[in-house]
Amino acid sequence: MTEAARVMVVDDDRAIRWVLERALAQPDLAVECVERADRVLERLLAEPPDVLVTDIRMPGIDGLDLMARVREAHPDLPVIVMTAHSDLDSAVASYQGGAFEYLPKPFDVDEALALVRRAVAHARERQRPIRAPEGLDTEIIGEAPAMQEVFRAIGRLAQSHITVLINGESGTGKERVAQALHQHSPRAGKPFIALNMAAIPRDLIESELFGHEKGAFTGATASRQGRFEQADGGTLFLDEIGDMPAETQTRLLRVLADGEFYRVGGHTPVKVDVRIIAATHQDLEDLVDDGRFREDLFHRLNVIRIHLPKLADRREDIPRLALHFLAEAAKELSTDVKVLTPEAEAHLTRLAWPGNVRQLENTCRWLTVMASGREILVEDLPPELRDGDPGGATGDWRAAFRDWADRALAAGHTHLLEEAVPDFERILIETALKHTGGRKGEAAELLGWGRNTLTRKLKTLLPEMAED
């Protein structure tokens, strides 16, 4: 049987001591309440309890000073700070001093009991070392079958200079794959330069790509190299290529064909040796059909295509990804690595993740800052991830779809139709083929398409099934 955890409460308010003494009188807790910190400081330093609960404003030694002295000797001791003065300064001072949690008065007795038990679990958890599983230092984490296909593609292209087009939703990790392609290529020792087409004003894109000469336009006070020259000998990653303006598409096509270009305002050709890796979350074939993307440029870029699955299609990778991102966040923020309880891990694995891997990474960074204990519980998750049907898999699919759209827009996504429609079609195609045992003619009939339309969609959305 586990020994009862020792909890010490320090508060000059007799009523608070009385309430907590009775609330914490549990079989798994041994509570001691005292009136003044200066009377127990020596004992606290010599024999610290498992959890210290202290008021801030008290005669003699106040709570923040008490916490500072005790934590200097016992830095792992969780301290819960109480105060009737629930102001910003008190909260900030408590957390800056290393408080486990801040409890404003009046508080709910059950909440206080749950918080003390959390602190006990935190203290005991810290006594166990965390061992990260092997392989978390790799460039890309993925055990799901869809990610194994990505790894195979990177492996096959390891000695190649060939142009690659990466397809996948926003946040799926397209730049990481591009970096891996570069690092495992003969160009690994040369620069990897990334440029996001959607993040640059249209009138500056050509200057960004090709550079400019002094005086080429207002504000061009000096000559400047573009990304092509910076990437000479290496790799240029063009993200969101579908957002490239038509006139820039024409110039890019010439560079790919001739290996040279002119700076904006320049008259001397600049020769470069650059490998292009492009990426998009859009359906470039549809953009070509609509006249928004040059067909000849599309064929130049679409030599080898790698499709990145969305996070919801590789759920088995979520626990390892979360562990990796929690470790990265702890290193970045110079704090302890937090771990997921089995319940929190299972909950995260069931979520829809409209923002994909990037959303999971940001969630882990948020949890590293905001979760109280070393262990992360389901209730520690942000409200939008904690509440409701995690997978959106039950009930009316239209309601689930509406919920996905709400969360995607809240996460800052744009071009939502371009994101949703390919997935919608991909799911219907997979389901139709499942019902027909892979017979494409019958699947096309179920979907209300012609056989040629289904064949074209397969090449775009499910290239691994197109040749079956």
Side-chain angles (χ1 to χ4, degrees), residues 204 207-208 210-226 229-230 263-266:
L204 294 180
S207 173
E208 280 291 328
F210 308 115
H212 61 254
E213 299 292 356
K214 181 178 179 180
F217 50 84
T218 304
T221 56
S223 297
R224 178 179 177 275
Q225 281 192 344
E229 284 179 84
Q230 293 170 10
R263 289 180 180 176
V264 176

mmCIF file of all heavy atoms in Angstrom, residues 204 207-208 210-226 229-230 263-266:
data_model
loop_
_atom_site.group_PDB
_atom_site.id
_atom_site.type_symbol
_atom_site.label_atom_id
_atom_site.label_comp_id
_atom_site.label_asym_id
_atom_site.label_seq_id
_atom_site.Cartn_x
_atom_site.Cartn_y
_atom_site.Cartn_z
ATOM 1 N N LEU A 204 6.632 41.865 -55.002
ATOM 2 C CA LEU A 204 7.997 41.630 -54.532
ATOM 3 C C LEU A 204 8.509 40.226 -54.844
ATOM 4 O O LEU A 204 9.671 39.920 -54.584
ATOM 5 C CB LEU A 204 8.083 41.875 -53.022
ATOM 6 C CG LEU A 204 7.867 43.314 -52.536
ATOM 7 C CD1 LEU A 204 7.975 43.371 -51.022
ATOM 8 C CD2 LEU A 204 8.875 44.253 -53.185
ATOM 9 N N SER A 207 11.548 39.994 -57.277
ATOM 10 C CA SER A 207 12.766 40.480 -56.637
ATOM 11 C C SER A 207 13.286 39.458 -55.628
ATOM 12 O O SER A 207 14.495 39.243 -55.515
ATOM 13 C CB SER A 207 12.491 41.818 -55.946
ATOM 14 O OG SER A 207 13.614 42.227 -55.191
ATOM 15 N N GLU A 208 12.378 38.818 -54.895
ATOM 16 C CA GLU A 208 12.781 37.796 -53.923
ATOM 17 C C GLU A 208 13.444 36.615 -54.624
ATOM 18 O O GLU A 208 14.459 36.094 -54.174
ATOM 19 C CB GLU A 208 11.566 37.306 -53.125
ATOM 20 C CG GLU A 208 11.140 38.214 -51.995
ATOM 21 C CD GLU A 208 12.132 38.239 -50.844
ATOM 22 O OE1 GLU A 208 12.786 37.206 -50.589
ATOM 23 O OE2 GLU A 208 12.278 39.293 -50.205
ATOM 24 N N PHE A 210 14.655 36.418 -57.933
ATOM 25 C CA PHE A 210 15.732 36.656 -58.898
ATOM 26 C C PHE A 210 16.675 37.799 -58.507
ATOM 27 O O PHE A 210 17.674 38.036 -59.190
ATOM 28 C CB PHE A 210 15.138 36.947 -60.279
ATOM 29 C CG PHE A 210 14.157 35.894 -60.722
ATOM 30 C CD1 PHE A 210 12.813 36.197 -60.892
ATOM 31 C CD2 PHE A 210 14.577 34.590 -60.947
ATOM 32 C CE1 PHE A 210 11.902 35.221 -61.291
ATOM 33 C CE2 PHE A 210 13.672 33.617 -61.336
ATOM 34 C CZ PHE A 210 12.335 33.929 -61.503
ATOM 35 N N GLY A 211 16.359 38.503 -57.395
ATOM 36 C CA GLY A 211 17.200 39.626 -57.006
ATOM 37 C C GLY A 211 16.910 40.855 -57.837
ATOM 38 O O GLY A 211 16.078 40.835 -58.747
ATOM 39 N N HIS A 212 17.597 41.945 -57.538
ATOM 40 C CA HIS A 212 17.406 43.173 -58.317
ATOM 41 C C HIS A 212 18.698 43.985 -58.349
ATOM 42 O O HIS A 212 19.584 43.818 -57.509
ATOM 43 C CB HIS A 212 16.269 44.022 -57.739
ATOM 44 C CG HIS A 212 16.494 44.470 -56.322
ATOM 45 N ND1 HIS A 212 15.822 43.919 -55.246
ATOM 46 C CD2 HIS A 212 17.333 45.412 -55.790
ATOM 47 C CE1 HIS A 212 16.231 44.496 -54.138
ATOM 48 N NE2 HIS A 212 17.149 45.414 -54.443
ATOM 49 N N GLU A 213 18.771 44.855 -59.333
ATOM 50 C CA GLU A 213 19.899 45.765 -59.455
ATOM 51 C C GLU A 213 19.566 47.092 -58.759
ATOM 52 O O GLU A 213 18.394 47.423 -58.571
ATOM 53 C CB GLU A 213 20.222 46.030 -60.936
ATOM 54 C CG GLU A 213 20.616 44.795 -61.719
ATOM 55 C CD GLU A 213 21.965 44.205 -61.292
ATOM 56 O OE1 GLU A 213 22.644 44.802 -60.436
ATOM 57 O OE2 GLU A 213 22.327 43.132 -61.820
ATOM 58 N N LYS A 214 20.586 47.802 -58.397
ATOM 59 C CA LYS A 214 20.394 49.110 -57.777
ATOM 60 C C LYS A 214 19.585 50.014 -58.699
ATOM 61 O O LYS A 214 19.839 50.103 -59.902
ATOM 62 C CB LYS A 214 21.766 49.735 -57.491
ATOM 63 C CG LYS A 214 21.697 51.095 -56.814
ATOM 64 C CD LYS A 214 23.093 51.628 -56.530
ATOM 65 C CE LYS A 214 23.020 53.006 -55.877
ATOM 66 N NZ LYS A 214 24.383 53.544 -55.601
ATOM 67 N N GLY A 215 18.547 50.656 -58.133
ATOM 68 C CA GLY A 215 17.725 51.573 -58.906
ATOM 69 C C GLY A 215 16.659 50.902 -59.749
ATOM 70 O O GLY A 215 15.971 51.568 -60.522
ATOM 71 N N ALA A 216 16.479 49.571 -59.595
ATOM 72 C CA ALA A 216 15.491 48.858 -60.418
ATOM 73 C C ALA A 216 14.069 49.317 -60.115
ATOM 74 O O ALA A 216 13.206 49.309 -60.982
ATOM 75 C CB ALA A 216 15.611 47.347 -60.193
ATOM 76 N N PHE A 217 13.828 49.754 -58.893
ATOM 77 C CA PHE A 217 12.512 50.265 -58.506
ATOM 78 C C PHE A 217 12.709 51.152 -57.280
ATOM 79 O O PHE A 217 13.796 51.185 -56.678
ATOM 80 C CB PHE A 217 11.519 49.128 -58.206
ATOM 81 C CG PHE A 217 12.047 48.083 -57.268
ATOM 82 C CD1 PHE A 217 11.988 48.246 -55.886
ATOM 83 C CD2 PHE A 217 12.632 46.910 -57.778
ATOM 84 C CE1 PHE A 217 12.473 47.283 -55.026
ATOM 85 C CE2 PHE A 217 13.116 45.946 -56.917
ATOM 86 C CZ PHE A 217 13.046 46.127 -55.532
ATOM 87 N N THR A 218 11.686 51.875 -56.903
ATOM 88 C CA THR A 218 11.767 52.770 -55.748
ATOM 89 C C THR A 218 12.122 51.973 -54.498
ATOM 90 O O THR A 218 11.472 50.981 -54.173
ATOM 91 C CB THR A 218 10.419 53.490 -55.534
ATOM 92 O OG1 THR A 218 10.071 54.183 -56.734
ATOM 93 C CG2 THR A 218 10.516 54.480 -54.378
ATOM 94 N N GLY A 219 13.166 52.399 -53.837
ATOM 95 C CA GLY A 219 13.592 51.696 -52.629
ATOM 96 C C GLY A 219 14.735 50.738 -52.862
ATOM 97 O O GLY A 219 15.323 50.220 -51.908
ATOM 98 N N ALA A 220 15.068 50.452 -54.133
ATOM 99 C CA ALA A 220 16.188 49.553 -54.440
ATOM 100 C C ALA A 220 17.485 50.348 -54.409
ATOM 101 O O ALA A 220 18.016 50.763 -55.440
ATOM 102 C CB ALA A 220 15.979 48.893 -55.804
ATOM 103 N N THR A 221 17.992 50.590 -53.204
ATOM 104 C CA THR A 221 19.163 51.449 -53.041
ATOM 105 C C THR A 221 20.477 50.715 -53.267
ATOM 106 O O THR A 221 21.538 51.330 -53.299
ATOM 107 C CB THR A 221 19.171 52.065 -51.630
ATOM 108 O OG1 THR A 221 19.119 51.002 -50.668
ATOM 109 C CG2 THR A 221 17.947 52.968 -51.425
ATOM 110 N N ALA A 222 20.406 49.387 -53.401
ATOM 111 C CA ALA A 222 21.617 48.589 -53.649
ATOM 112 C C ALA A 222 21.221 47.320 -54.381
ATOM 113 O O ALA A 222 20.066 46.898 -54.340
ATOM 114 C CB ALA A 222 22.316 48.245 -52.333
ATOM 115 N N SER A 223 22.185 46.732 -55.072
ATOM 116 C CA SER A 223 21.920 45.449 -55.734
ATOM 117 C C SER A 223 21.702 44.374 -54.669
ATOM 118 O O SER A 223 22.260 44.440 -53.573
ATOM 119 C CB SER A 223 23.092 45.056 -56.630
ATOM 120 O OG SER A 223 23.254 45.991 -57.665
ATOM 121 N N ARG A 224 20.908 43.372 -55.014
ATOM 122 C CA ARG A 224 20.596 42.322 -54.038
ATOM 123 C C ARG A 224 20.448 40.982 -54.739
ATOM 124 O O ARG A 224 19.812 40.882 -55.792
ATOM 125 C CB ARG A 224 19.291 42.666 -53.316
ATOM 126 C CG ARG A 224 18.830 41.636 -52.298
ATOM 127 C CD ARG A 224 17.535 42.102 -51.631
ATOM 128 N NE ARG A 224 17.024 41.110 -50.713
ATOM 129 C CZ ARG A 224 16.254 40.089 -51.068
ATOM 130 N NH1 ARG A 224 15.914 39.932 -52.336
ATOM 131 N NH2 ARG A 224 15.823 39.222 -50.179
ATOM 132 N N GLN A 225 21.059 39.969 -54.161
ATOM 133 C CA GLN A 225 20.888 38.614 -54.685
ATOM 134 C C GLN A 225 19.487 38.101 -54.356
ATOM 135 O O GLN A 225 18.938 38.389 -53.294
ATOM 136 C CB GLN A 225 21.892 37.652 -54.032
ATOM 137 C CG GLN A 225 23.290 37.710 -54.602
ATOM 138 C CD GLN A 225 24.130 36.541 -54.099
ATOM 139 O OE1 GLN A 225 23.789 35.881 -53.127
ATOM 140 N NE2 GLN A 225 25.240 36.289 -54.774
ATOM 141 N N GLY A 226 18.925 37.317 -55.268
ATOM 142 C CA GLY A 226 17.657 36.655 -55.016
ATOM 143 C C GLY A 226 17.887 35.254 -54.477
ATOM 144 O O GLY A 226 19.019 34.797 -54.304
ATOM 145 N N GLU A 229 20.111 32.785 -56.590
ATOM 146 C CA GLU A 229 21.563 32.932 -56.439
ATOM 147 C C GLU A 229 22.024 32.419 -55.070
ATOM 148 O O GLU A 229 23.084 31.793 -54.958
ATOM 149 C CB GLU A 229 21.954 34.404 -56.606
ATOM 150 C CG GLU A 229 21.929 34.870 -58.051
ATOM 151 C CD GLU A 229 22.291 36.329 -58.172
ATOM 152 O OE1 GLU A 229 23.499 36.642 -58.214
ATOM 153 O OE2 GLU A 229 21.366 37.172 -58.209
ATOM 154 N N GLN A 230 21.227 32.665 -54.025
ATOM 155 C CA GLN A 230 21.588 32.185 -52.692
ATOM 156 C C GLN A 230 21.635 30.661 -52.644
ATOM 157 O O GLN A 230 22.409 30.075 -51.889
ATOM 158 C CB GLN A 230 20.582 32.708 -51.654
ATOM 159 C CG GLN A 230 20.617 34.214 -51.455
ATOM 160 C CD GLN A 230 19.454 34.696 -50.605
ATOM 161 O OE1 GLN A 230 18.719 33.921 -50.004
ATOM 162 N NE2 GLN A 230 19.268 36.013 -50.564
ATOM 163 N N ARG A 263 18.367 39.487 -63.167
ATOM 164 C CA ARG A 263 17.850 40.187 -62.006
ATOM 165 C C ARG A 263 16.833 41.243 -62.457
ATOM 166 O O ARG A 263 16.896 41.710 -63.608
ATOM 167 C CB ARG A 263 18.974 40.880 -61.234
ATOM 168 C CG ARG A 263 19.912 39.949 -60.479
ATOM 169 C CD ARG A 263 20.962 40.778 -59.760
ATOM 170 N NE ARG A 263 21.908 39.945 -59.017
ATOM 171 C CZ ARG A 263 22.964 40.415 -58.371
ATOM 172 N NH1 ARG A 263 23.233 41.723 -58.426
ATOM 173 N NH2 ARG A 263 23.765 39.604 -57.717
ATOM 174 N N VAL A 264 15.935 41.643 -61.575
ATOM 175 C CA VAL A 264 14.999 42.721 -61.899
ATOM 176 C C VAL A 264 15.811 43.987 -62.167
ATOM 177 O O VAL A 264 16.633 44.407 -61.353
ATOM 178 C CB VAL A 264 14.009 42.955 -60.732
ATOM 179 C CG1 VAL A 264 13.094 44.143 -61.038
ATOM 180 C CG2 VAL A 264 13.186 41.699 -60.470
ATOM 181 N N GLY A 265 15.622 44.557 -63.350
ATOM 182 C CA GLY A 265 16.376 45.744 -63.734
ATOM 183 C C GLY A 265 17.756 45.435 -64.277
ATOM 184 O O GLY A 265 18.518 46.349 -64.599
ATOM 185 N N GLY A 266 18.098 44.159 -64.423
ATOM 186 C CA GLY A 266 19.428 43.771 -64.882
ATOM 187 C C GLY A 266 19.459 43.441 -66.361
ATOM 188 O O GLY A 266 18.420 43.156 -66.978
#
